[in-house]
Structures are given as C-alpha cells and as structure tokens.
Amino acid sequence: MSVSQKIGPMARLKARRIRHILNVFLLGLSLIAVRVWYLSVVQYDDHFQSSRKPQRRSLVQPALRGTIRDRFNIPLAMNTIQFNAAICYSNIREIPFVKWEKDESGLRKRVLARKQYIEKLSRFLGEELAMDPMEIEDTIHGRASLFPHTPFVIKEDIPESLYYKLKMCEKEWLGIQMQQTGKRVYPLGKCASDVIGHMGAISQREYHGVAQEMSMLREYLAGREAGKAVFLPKGYDSPLEVRRRLRALEERSYSINDQVGKCGVEAAFDGVLRGRCGREIFEVDTRGNPINQLPGGRAEVGGQRLVLSLSAELQQTAEREQFPLLAVDQL
C-alpha cells in the first residue's frame, strides 16, 4: 500500500471531524441569535417597562439601646449623642463622570469632573476634620462607592460645633452627610464592669450565625406553608415558637456594622436592651434614588430599661477595699 493511500482515509476522517465541530458551533450561534432576537424584539416592551418601573427599598432606623441601672436607679450604662461625619456616594453620582469644556484656545477638552470634585471634597474635609485628604479620597473611591446608598462614616465622635458647621455645607458639597447616633457610655467607669460587660462590633461569625438561623427558620416556615413534611429545627418545640424567634430576629435587624453586647449583662440581655428597629419604605427610581415614602413602615421602639439588684455605692466601696490600686486609677 502506498503512502498516498494511507494518508487519504486519515485526511477524510479529520475533515469529517472538523465539519462536525463547525456544525455544532454554527448551531450554537444560531440559538444565541434566536434568543437575542426574541428578547430584543418579542419581549422588548415587557423588559423596557420593568426596567423603568420604580422599585421599593427599605431603610432600617436603629433603636435607642436601653439603659442599665442599679437598684436605686443610678445609671450604670446609658447613651449619649455622638456626631459623625459620613459620605453618601449616591449624591456624588449626580456629578457626570466626564464632561467637555473649552480651553483658552477654544478647543474642547475632556475633563474628569467627578474625580476632580472628589479631590476638592477630600481636601475640604481633610482641613475640617484634621485628616489626610488622600485617605479620605481612597475611602470614597474604595469603600463608599461600593454601597452608594449607605452612608459611610469617615470620622466618629466629632465636636458638636463642627457637626453643625459641616451640616450647613451639605447643600454646597454633595456627598457630605452628617449623622447623630447613640454612643454607649458608663458613667461610673469601671465600677461593676465585670457584671455589666461592654459593647463591641458584631463579629463575622456572629453575623453569619444570625443570618443562617434566619434562613433556616424561613425555609422551615415556607416548607410548612407549602404542605411539605418538614421537621422542627433543633431547639424549638412548636411552629409558633419558630415564628416568634424569626420575628424577633427580623425586628432587631442585625447588620455587619452593628454594635452588640460582648460579655456580661450587655451580652446576656442584648435582645432586651437592643429594642426594635424601625423601617421606612421608599419608592426608588432605576438608579436607586428615593422618590417618595410608601406606607407600611414602622417606628423604632427603644430598648427596655434594665434594673439590677446590686448597689452602685456598695459595689464601689467593695472594689476600693478589694482593689485599692484600681480605685486610685479610677480617681
């Protein structure tokens, strides 16, 4: 058998495989083209109307945390007003990213308007807040822009006079949003600190634990309403108890930036002290900007006051006798 006779069948087999691959490729392109035509022509009106239709967005209003007092109603843990300076990137997005201006010679020049504005805003806030302008600019680009409708705090606990000064600049400087929040303070210092405990940022493990528990409870209730054979989650005795627990978690509205009790009474009675967060429902446009407020929201309910059986005066006396050096530090 000659060499040409051996090559002939191999070449035909290779050509047949190439034709099969091309046919599959052309079939895939045809299906994609049909799908694009169906979405852009047949369902164009439906998708266009749904994209222009306003949507709903809810804002959580945190509740004021309850106070902790001794048996004679002397406050051991209470709240004071804290003033914060924050940035809301959704307002900055109103400035066009690029615009064209004429230079001295009359030629049109491309200008990065939003970037220039953020640089000016960072310099202004850097002077007022005694911060590095580059750090503020990096925060705006790297963090605040990720969640444009959520104010991102750039400095906490600023003086009240500076708060009102920057508050008056909100209309002039887009993006500035001043906040008044509650700050947890302990008037008697370290007195009974082992009993009272302290507050701290919720950890990622705690937050994901709450999120997983809520997901599990919702899945159980959804399956039960659908008539499926589902088992009660571990630790619950009745569906009513599951509903109450889910409602309590939803009312607390935990978020990744929340402050929770870490130990002591603050942690043991966190649910009682936390209260019930409020909620406002807004109609927003396609860019997420609020249009008007909708009914169905609820007002926040402050946490309950917690009265302990201990006496602050007796506790201070006992701690001075037991830990004299600690008493000197407190003075």
Side-chain angles (χ1 to χ4, degrees), residues 7 75 95 102 125 158 236 293:
I7 296 177
I95 301 173
K102 290 185 178 180
L125 291 176
I158 63 176
Y236 296 92
Q293 189 171 355

Side-chain angles (χ1 to χ4, degrees), residues 85 124-131 136 154-155 158 162 166 178:
F124 171 74
L125 291 176
E127 294 177 359
E128 297 294 337
L129 300 175
M131 295 178 62
I136 298 177
I154 57 176
K155 190 168 185 179
I158 63 176
L162 181 57
L166 294 178
M178 308 306 295

Side-chain angles (χ1 to χ4, degrees), residues 19 59 61 95 100 104 111 116 124 139 142 154 159 168 170 192 194 203 213 243 251 263-264 271 289 303 312 318:
R19 283 197 300 271
L59 296 178
Q61 303 294 332
I95 301 173
W100 295 88
E104 298 178 355
V111 178
Q116 291 182 355
F124 171 74
T139 300
I154 57 176
M168 297 176 63
E170 287 183 349
D194 293 338
S203 64
E213 183 180 0
R243 292 183 184 276
E251 289 176 351
C263 63
N289 299 316

Side-chain angles (χ1 to χ4, degrees), residues 202-212 254-258:
I202 187 171
S203 64
Q204 187 176 7
R205 181 179 179 182
E206 292 172 330
Y207 176 74
H208 286 301
V210 173
Q212 290 177 0
Y254 287 101
S255 67
I256 196 64
N257 298 319
D258 271 347

